[in-house]
Amino acid sequence: MLNRKVMDISGVSNVESFDNEEFLLETECGFLAVRGQNLHMKNLSLEQGMVTIEGLVHSLVYLDGSAAAKSKGLFGKLFK
């Protein structure tokens, strides 16, 4: 991460959802929520497992299995 404005994340297997305030990524270490302002994806390569996110990053949170399922369920309900 560089100055909380640009970050490269490795080990990404899937991008579950994203908007300008939150990215939900499935990684080798579980689900990762990246929260902030004006977030956007600069680069995505699932073959290499790399994602580059730009914007002001406020927090990075790894979610356990139950929290990830709950988040996924919430997104599923919103986008039915």
Side-chain angles (χ1 to χ4, degrees):
M1 184 179 329
L2 180 63
N3 295 328
R4 291 179 62 178
K5 294 181 181 174
V6 178
M7 63 184 308
D8 292 316
I9 303 169
S10 61
V12 176
S13 58
N14 193 24
V15 177
E16 287 292 322
S17 65
F18 65 94
D19 60 27
N20 64 347
E21 293 182 350
E22 181 179 51
F23 277 69
L24 182 59
L25 309 171
E26 185 177 357
T27 72
E28 296 170 354
C29 298
F31 283 89
L32 174 65
V34 179
R35 296 184 180 110
Q37 291 177 299
N38 301 320
L39 299 177
H40 62 276
M41 195 178 322
K42 181 179 178 183
N43 187 27
L44 171 64
S45 174
L46 292 179
E47 294 82 25
Q48 295 177 344
M50 293 290 296
V51 174
T52 302
I53 298 174
E54 288 185 335
L56 182 59
V57 176
H58 293 304
S59 68
L60 302 170
V61 179
Y62 275 101
L63 306 170
D64 65 8
S66 61
K70 194 179 292 183
S71 293
K72 192 173 182 182
L74 174 64
F75 285 115
K77 290 177 187 174
L78 287 174
F79 297 110
K80 267 190 174 178

